[in-house]
Amino acid sequence: MVLDDEAHIGMILHTTSEPKIRTRTAVAQPLMVLAAPDHPAAAMEALTIADLQAFELCLPPQGFRIRGTLDDAQKRAHVWLEPRLVTNSIQMMREIAKAGRALTVLPRISVLAELQEGSLVARPLRDDAIEHSTVSLIHRLSRQLEGAPARLLAILEAKLKSWS
């Protein structure tokens, strides 16, 4: 959407090699397994991709960077996950996990409020690439951001750095 001028700014998992996209900032944000506090996975210190096979999952659809990152981890582990639910709504993934119906996998910044209030717990997902993933704040290279979009970009950049 940023590349096609449908959005001024965006936040993506990892960085991009797209030459027309500028990464304003990137911060460490590994993908985490998110569960309701009373879910059996919440009692685990960390999980592997193989561990996820034992649980119901709610994941984003193919084409999302989170899903691509998980697909790559599955290939490395020779494990194939079958999510029970697939949605492009991060809000829906959070709600399904909070209800204890399934686990989901998101960066910590996607659930800061839920972690603070205790309605979700985050557990590390053990995989070298996942443990070193980042979230990037991006905009299109030739787009001049002035006024409100420029101020929003500066605020988001500061917040993103404080959340890492």
Side-chain angles (χ1 to χ4, degrees):
M1 291 175 71
V2 170
L3 186 61
D4 295 334
D5 277 337
E6 294 177 36
H8 291 330
I9 55 179
M11 225 181 282
I12 60 170
L13 189 64
H14 304 301
T15 55
T16 180
S17 59
E18 170 58 54
K20 294 179 183 177
I21 296 292
R22 178 172 180 240
T23 298
R24 175 73 177 245
T25 192
V27 296
Q29 277 292 308
L31 292 176
M32 306 291 285
V33 177
L34 302 167
D38 59 349
H39 192 282
M44 301 172 74
E45 187 175 314
L47 291 96
T48 65
I49 292 291
D51 292 334
L52 294 180
Q53 287 183 302
F55 301 107
E56 299 287 338
L57 299 173
C58 178
L59 298 176
Q62 296 294 336
F64 276 56
R65 285 180 182 245
I66 292 170
R67 190 64 180 269
T69 299
L70 289 172
D71 289 348
D72 292 344
Q74 290 174 75
K75 290 174 190 168
R76 286 189 296 277
H78 303 286
V79 170
W80 314 114
L81 301 175
E82 292 293 331
R84 171 82 179 214
L85 300 164
V86 176
T87 179
N88 62 2
S89 168
I90 290 175
Q91 178 65 30
M92 180 66 77
M93 288 188 275
R94 287 190 302 242
E95 293 301 318
I96 295 290
K98 282 171 51 174
R101 295 185 49 213
L103 301 179
T104 195
V105 179
L106 292 168
R108 179 180 291 278
I109 63 166
S110 299
V111 292
L112 290 174
E114 291 83 357
L115 294 174
Q116 189 172 35
E117 72 189 18
S119 61
L120 283 176
V121 297
R123 296 294 178 254
L125 185 53
R126 296 287 179 224
D127 177 270
D128 284 342
I130 288 174
E131 292 179 65
H132 295 98
S133 60
T134 61
V135 168
S136 298
L137 185 61
I138 62 168
H139 62 90
R140 195 167 56 77
L141 190 60
S142 61
R143 172 163 239 160
Q144 296 299 318
L145 295 178
E146 298 174 1
R151 287 191 300 277
L152 179 60
L153 184 63
I155 291 167
L156 286 173
E157 183 175 20
K159 280 293 189 186
L160 191 58
K161 288 178 179 177
S162 75
W163 292 329
S164 66

